[in-house]
Every structure is written in C-alpha cells, then in structure tokens.
Amino acid sequence: MSAVHAQRHNTLMEDPYPTRLATPAERSWLPRQEEILRGPEEGPLTSEQREEFRQKGYVFIPGFLDDDELAEYQRELDTLLAREDYRDQDFTITEPSSNDIRSIFAMHFLSAKFGQLAQSPKLVKSVEQLIGEDVYVMQGRINYKPGFEGKGFDWHSDFETWHAEDGMPRMNAISASIVLTDNHEFNGPLMLIPGSHEKFVPCIGETPEDNYKSSLKKQEAGVPSREALAELVAEHGIEAPKGRAGGLLLFDCNTLHGSNANMSPDARSNIFFVFNRRDNALDTPFAAKKQRPDFLAHTPDGRWRDLTL
Amino acid sequence: MSAVHAQRHNTLMEDPYPTRLATPAERSWLPRQEEILRGPEEGPLTSEQREEFRQKGYVFIPGFLDDDELAEYQRELDTLLAREDYRDQDFTITEPSSNDIRSIFAMHFLSAKFGQLAQSPKLVKSVEQLIGEDVYVMQGRINYKPGFEGKGFDWHSDFETWHAEDGMPRMNAISASIVLTDNHEFNGPLMLIPGSHEKFVPCIGETPEDNYKSSLKKQEAGVPSREALAELVAEHGIEAPKGRAGGLLLFDCNTLHGSNANMSPDARSNIFFVFNRRDNALDTPFAAKKQRPDFLAHTPDGRWRDLTL
C-alpha cells in the first residue's frame, strides 16, 4: 500500500486485508472477516448448493440455461464479436495477431439481451441467497477463445485485485460465470482451490501504474507466493468443475482460481458477471494510485457512459 | 526440405514424410509406411499391452519401478542436478532466472546407474517387443520441474523433428518415459492423441538454423496446423495417462503429444530414453541444413564424447 493511501484508510479503520506489500508478510494468509452466507434460504438455490458454496467458496449449477436460452446467448455473443466498431474501444480486448475480438467488457450495457440476463431473477436471486440482498453488477464481460488458443491464467484471488486496485472494501462480491461451451479436462477449465475463500493471501510487490493494461493478459502484481499456494493446496486440494454448456459457476470473490491453456480444438466462451453488494461500493484503491477505468468496475447506480458508437 | 537435401534423398527414394514445407500440403496427413508391431510376443509386455500400443500408439505400465528402485533413481537424479560443473554445459538446460538445472541430456553416459537402466533387460526387451530387436539409445535425459513451474508444450510429433532435423529415415523409434513423481490432472501430465501414430502430419515452415536452441523450450518450426490437429482430435480424442510414480510410458515416435503447465505444488521429474532401431540410424537431415549436436542424437555404436568434467 502506498503511504498516502495507507494513511487515508487508517484514519477510518485498520485495513484487514493489506496487500501489494514491499516485504513478505509474517503469515502466509490472514483470516476472512466476513461471513460467507448472508442471504435468505428461500430462492433458486437448494440448501445443499448454499452449503457447498459455504464450504468450498464455489458451486456449479448444471443446466442453468435451457437449450433455447443457450442458443440465444450464443447468437448474441456472435453478434457482439462481429461488431467492427468495437475493435478499437478500450472495453474490447483483441488478439494481437489477428485483431479478432476475444473479450468485451460492460456488454450488459451494450446488449439489451445481456442487460436483461444481468437482472434476471433466477440469477440475481441466486447470488443474493449467498451474499445478501441489494446487489449490483460491478463488472460484466463476454469471453471467446477458439480451439488451441487461450493461454492459462495463474492462481489469483479476484478480491485481492479489486481491493488493491478498485477500492473494494470487503469480501462482499461474487462472480457468476455462465459457460456457453462444454467444459472438459482438455480445454482449460477453471480450477479452484476449495476453501481458499476463507483465507486472504497478501501479495508482495507494489502495483505498477496502469497495471490493468497488462494484467488482463498476464498478472504480475497481485500474485500469491508459491509458498502460500503450496500451503493452501496441501490443505484444500484443487478442483476443476466440468460440465455441459449452460451451467452456472458461482464463486466467491476471494476463492483462489486459475486455468490452464486450451489444448483441444473446442472453442471456449462464457458470460461473466461480478455482483457486488451496494453497501460495498468501490472507493479509493487500497494499494494503487488511482482507480481502474469504469469499463472494469462500475458504480452501483451510475449508468456507464454515453455510447455514441 | 531444402533443395539440396531433397535431391540427395530423392536419388535413393522418394521421402514418404516430407515436412517443413514452404506451402501447405494438399492433405493434412500422410499414411504411415511402417508396421506398428514388429517385435516378438515373448517378453515383459503382455499381449494386451502390445495390442494397446498398436491401436493407440502408447501404453502406460504402472509399477515399472518398485519402491526401492524409485528411491534409488530419485537420489541419482538429485545427485546429477546438484552438479555445479554441469551448469554451463551444452547438454544441460538451466532455468534462466535461477540457473537451476532443469534437464540433463545424455545422462546415461554421465551416470553408471542411468547407464545400467538404459540397458536393463526389462526396459530394452519391452521396447523390442514393440519395434523389433537390435535397438540403441538415441537420446536420454532427466527432467526436473518444481511445483507451479513448467510451462506446457504444444502438440507435436517427435518423429517429425527427428526426421527433419536429425535425419531419422523411418518410424522405427520409441520413447520411454519413467515418471519419478505421481502424475495427476493438475501437474501437467503428458497428453496424447491416441491413433495419431498412424498419420504423418507434414508441417509448414522451413527450419531455422540452430533451431534446437529455442525449440527445446518452445517449438516454432515442426508445429502441426490447427486444422490437422482438429481433424485428428475429432477422430481420436485426447488422453492423458495418469498414475503413481514408477510407471513407464512407452509411446511411438510419431504419436502426437503435448502438455499443459503444472498448476500444482507438486514437482515433476522423469527419466526419458529414446530407443531407435540400428537399421534406422540417423543420417543427413531431411529438412535442415545440418544435424543437431550429438548430446541430442547419438549414433548406434559411438561413445558420446570424452568427458573430462
């Protein structure tokens, strides 16, 4: 944490999640302060699914989309990926070699269909059963990777980044990933360390300026030490939920996750939303000089930007 | 193939396995000329294991080493990796950041124990049951990767490289990998395309000079096209044999294989031998200007080099 921000936050309270440290921490992890389950039992999720989330920090719900919905969102994804006028926008990530679009952020503002999905009761109520009611979409994106493409992503906690770089105060957020393609052993499925959501791993190394420009491709700051990872994997193991297209993966903001490269010919695509509690809105970053751009981190009530595309 | 070498080989016969082409081939693969099984039925391998190899182009034999042998070879590996005087040798691959040794080639010349293993009847007889009698060790190496290290390796056929860059005439060789650590889903086990040993995939792109200096880390020439890979995976699928330390994986020189990164804390190490038939000794490369150095590709009867280490 830079001195000026440390001072700012410390006038209010001690930060329970110090990170981007100049020197290694004494302990490899710090205990989570927030309860895991804070929402109502009633809703789309069964009590077994809620309990699985509580214990593991994630739950996979097969068949969240039916076949018609799946086809509809796959078409909508294709439509957005084909938008020539999106290629040079800051909210779009393109392949360096081909300039093909690989990710589009804030797509729930760009597409009415994805906007409706972000607000659909079966999604929002599921999320609220876990972290509590009154949530908003802090980030949304679609991802597409053709077969044999897509490098892996090293182990990390999203909360660590959001806390350090976006100013998220507490572990009150959840990621919802809806897979539009089958996930199997060889196409680089998401791997998670179950139980890691209970442990905050402070990371070493101060945040470089405009870190997001490279960190969306490969993370350099905010990487847990190998020692901490080894300790957590020794205790909790690694899991990679697999399943048919249309499944929903809900995972806690602090669950350590990563992925490997896609070694198969099968394309991978998904819809991704981060839900945050309104009482946990982003403020001054805890360990970066300025907040990241708003296509990465929305405010609870602000519209995004005037799009005159 | 460079014009001069094409001419040289064509005076004898047409090369059935043209590769490193300047322009894409008409067909994504060419049929294999050699029989798969040419050795005696009698030996350490069961007829089921031979049949599995014939069909898939590989067979995994659990418990090839017993616990005492396993411990003995693990110690021998540690001894070689600790040799300060090996660090700056051409036959040693070190980690750029730490200068730690990650691979040692020709270790069966450097270590009496590994030399004996290379000649042990249970290994040699197994190999000879598959490709026929009278074989020699064309390449040997040990590999060591700590947890969370070890990038993946893209799909490739070893025969394609040996044919193009070492002058191996025919598909008369087999790789034997003895795993000294457990293989599981998350530590980057070898993946294979079963049945791909029957199909030679010509690769596009001429061989750069001294290609081996970079290709041992990441292959640029000798990479099958994504279209060819997609076609083969669609027909044959992907398999990743997993199992306890001490297992032996035998795979045909033309079986397409690759691997993903090690996402686990578990180190990976193995002993690796390539057995070639004496009647298939290396000659002029089929698609490179000169042969690769002898630590990578030994001759049938020559000792390696005078080591005054």
Side-chain angles (χ1 to χ4, degrees):
Chain A
M1 194 184 311
S2 73
V4 64
H5 291 104
Q7 197 173 17
R8 174 156 180 180
H9 284 289
N10 280 339
T11 54
L12 302 173
M13 61 181 121
E14 187 84 20
D15 176 13
Y17 304 122
T19 190
R20 313 291 167 108
L21 309 175
T23 54
E26 270 174 50
R27 298 177 51 188
S28 56
W29 56 269
L30 301 168
R32 178 193 183 105
Q33 305 290 311
E34 295 75 26
E35 290 292 314
I36 315 292
L37 288 183
R38 286 156 289 166
E41 276 196 45
E42 295 288 303
L45 300 185
T46 66
S47 51
E48 290 75 22
Q49 287 170 330
R50 289 178 81 236
E51 177 57 20
E52 190 176 339
F53 182 89
R54 190 187 67 74
Q55 286 183 20
K56 291 185 169 183
Y58 81 88
V59 61
F60 182 73
I61 296 141
F64 177 76
L65 299 182
D66 65 31
D67 288 350
D68 290 342
E69 293 170 312
L70 186 60
E72 181 188 339
Y73 292 120
Q74 283 167 333
R75 276 195 305 271
E76 186 69 1
L77 175 110
D78 291 340
T79 303
L80 294 189
L81 293 176
R83 287 280 300 250
E84 286 291 332
D85 53 340
Y86 284 2
R87 273 176 213 266
D88 298 319
Q89 302 290 332
D90 60 352
F91 56 80
T92 296
I93 313 283
T94 55
E95 200 74 32
S97 54
S98 63
N99 206 30
D100 286 340
I101 297 180
R102 293 287 172 254
S103 296
I104 301 177
F105 282 85
M107 85 301 192
H108 52 303
F109 290 114
L110 300 167
S111 148
K113 277 208 178 69
F114 287 127
Q116 285 154 17
L117 178 60
Q119 292 171 26
S120 72
K122 78 172 169 179
L123 180 58
V124 177
K125 295 269 177 225
S126 298
V127 167
E128 290 184 338
Q129 277 184 280
L130 302 176
I131 51 168
E133 291 169 306
D134 209 12
V135 299
Y136 73 101
V137 175
M138 188 192 97
Q139 186 188 102
R141 69 173 189 268
I142 46 174
N143 297 310
Y144 172 78
K145 283 281 182 186
F148 300 118
E149 275 194 32
K151 296 297 148 207
F153 220 90
D154 285 338
W155 293 109
H156 66 284
S157 150
D158 287 336
F159 173 76
E160 194 278 342
T161 297
W162 298 336
H163 186 66
E165 301 189 30
D166 296 330
M168 178 182 283
R170 294 291 184 155
M171 295 182 184
N172 289 338
I174 272 186
S175 292
S177 172
I178 302 168
V179 292
L180 297 182
T181 44
D182 297 349
N183 265 349
H184 57 69
E185 180 180 346
F186 301 115
N187 70 344
L190 200 73
M191 301 176 180
L192 306 106
I193 301 178
S196 59
H197 60 313
E198 305 247 35
K199 294 166 180 173
F200 181 77
V201 179
C203 298
I204 311 306
E206 295 193 3
T207 313
E209 198 156 346
D210 286 342
N211 183 45
Y212 75 93
K213 287 183 183 169
S214 58
S215 73
L216 297 179
K217 288 170 184 167
K218 180 173 167 55
Q219 209 165 344
E220 302 283 352
V223 178
S225 73
R226 290 184 178 184
E227 293 70 25
L229 286 172
E231 188 183 328
L232 266 65
V233 174
E235 186 175 348
H236 301 291
I238 299 174
E239 295 182 359
K242 300 173 195 86
R244 303 258 312 141
L248 167 68
L249 180 72
L250 294 169
F251 61 101
D252 184 87
C253 59
N254 191 46
T255 305
L256 287 165
H257 59 286
S259 67
N260 232 326
N262 182 359
M263 296 288 288
S264 86
D266 307 326
R268 292 190 69 203
S269 57
N270 63 47
I271 303 168
F272 199 90
F273 293 117
V274 180
F275 290 93
N276 187 23
R277 275 167 56 142
R278 283 177 193 271
D279 62 8
N280 195 43
L282 309 178
D283 200 338
T284 315
F286 285 76
K289 291 217 172 76
K290 56 179 186 188
Q291 279 192 323
R292 300 193 299 171
D294 64 352
F295 71 83
L296 280 170
H298 307 298
T299 53
D301 287 306
R303 287 282 309 165
W304 179 39
R305 63 174 77 166
D306 263 339
L307 277 178
T308 51
L309 294 174
Chain B
M1 194 185 311
S2 72
V4 63
H5 291 105
Q7 196 175 22
R8 175 157 178 178
H9 284 288
N10 280 339
T11 54
L12 302 171
M13 59 182 122
E14 188 84 19
D15 177 13
Y17 304 122
T19 190
R20 312 291 166 107
L21 309 174
T23 53
E26 271 175 50
R27 298 177 52 188
S28 56
W29 56 268
L30 301 168
R32 177 193 183 104
Q33 305 292 313
E34 296 75 26
E35 292 291 313
I36 315 291
L37 289 183
R38 287 157 288 166
E41 276 196 46
E42 295 288 302
L45 300 185
T46 66
S47 51
E48 290 76 20
Q49 288 169 329
R50 288 179 80 234
E51 179 56 20
E52 191 176 339
F53 182 89
R54 190 186 67 74
Q55 287 184 20
K56 293 186 169 184
Y58 80 88
V59 61
F60 183 72
I61 296 140
F64 178 76
L65 298 182
D66 66 31
D67 289 350
D68 289 342
E69 292 169 314
L70 186 59
E72 180 187 340
Y73 292 120
Q74 284 168 332
R75 276 194 305 272
E76 186 70 359
L77 175 111
D78 291 341
T79 303
L80 294 190
L81 293 176
R83 286 281 298 251
E84 287 292 332
D85 53 340
Y86 284 2
R87 273 176 213 265
D88 298 319
Q89 303 290 332
D90 61 353
F91 56 79
T92 296
I93 313 284
T94 55
E95 200 75 34
S97 54
S98 63
N99 206 28
D100 286 340
I101 297 179
R102 292 288 172 254
S103 295
I104 301 176
F105 281 84
M107 85 300 191
H108 53 302
F109 289 115
L110 301 167
S111 148
K113 278 207 178 69
F114 287 127
Q116 284 154 17
L117 177 61
Q119 293 172 24
S120 73
K122 77 172 170 178
L123 180 57
V124 177
K125 295 268 176 225
S126 297
V127 167
E128 290 184 339
Q129 278 184 281
L130 302 175
I131 51 168
E133 291 169 305
D134 209 12
V135 299
Y136 72 101
V137 175
M138 189 193 96
Q139 186 189 102
R141 68 172 189 267
I142 46 174
N143 296 310
Y144 172 78
K145 282 283 182 186
F148 301 117
E149 275 194 32
K151 295 298 150 207
F153 220 89
D154 284 339
W155 293 109
H156 65 284
S157 150
D158 287 335
F159 174 75
E160 195 278 343
T161 298
W162 298 335
H163 186 67
E165 301 188 30
D166 296 330
M168 178 184 283
R170 294 290 183 155
M171 295 182 184
N172 290 337
I174 272 185
S175 292
S177 172
I178 302 168
V179 292
L180 297 182
T181 45
D182 297 350
N183 265 351
H184 57 70
E185 180 180 347
F186 301 115
N187 69 345
L190 200 73
M191 301 176 181
L192 306 105
I193 301 178
S196 59
H197 61 311
E198 306 246 33
K199 294 165 181 174
F200 180 76
V201 179
C203 298
I204 312 306
E206 295 192 2
T207 314
E209 198 156 345
D210 287 340
N211 183 44
Y212 75 93
K213 287 182 183 169
S214 59
S215 74
L216 297 178
K217 288 170 184 166
K218 179 172 167 54
Q219 210 165 342
E220 303 283 351
V223 178
S225 74
R226 290 184 178 183
E227 293 70 26
L229 287 173
E231 187 184 328
L232 267 64
V233 174
E235 186 175 347
H236 300 292
I238 299 174
E239 295 182 358
K242 301 175 194 85
R244 303 258 312 140
L248 166 68
L249 180 73
L250 295 169
F251 60 102
D252 183 88
C253 58
N254 191 46
T255 305
L256 286 165
H257 59 287
S259 67
N260 232 325
N262 182 0
M263 295 289 285
S264 85
D266 308 325
R268 293 190 67 205
S269 57
N270 63 47
I271 303 169
F272 199 90
F273 293 115
V274 179
F275 290 92
N276 187 22
R277 274 167 57 143
R278 283 177 193 269
D279 62 10
N280 195 43
L282 309 178
D283 200 337
T284 315
F286 285 75
K289 291 220 171 73
K290 57 178 186 188
Q291 279 192 322
R292 300 193 297 174
D294 63 353
F295 71 84
L296 281 170
H298 307 298
T299 52
D301 288 306
R303 287 284 308 167
W304 180 37
R305 64 173 77 167
D306 262 339
L307 277 177
T308 51
L309 294 175

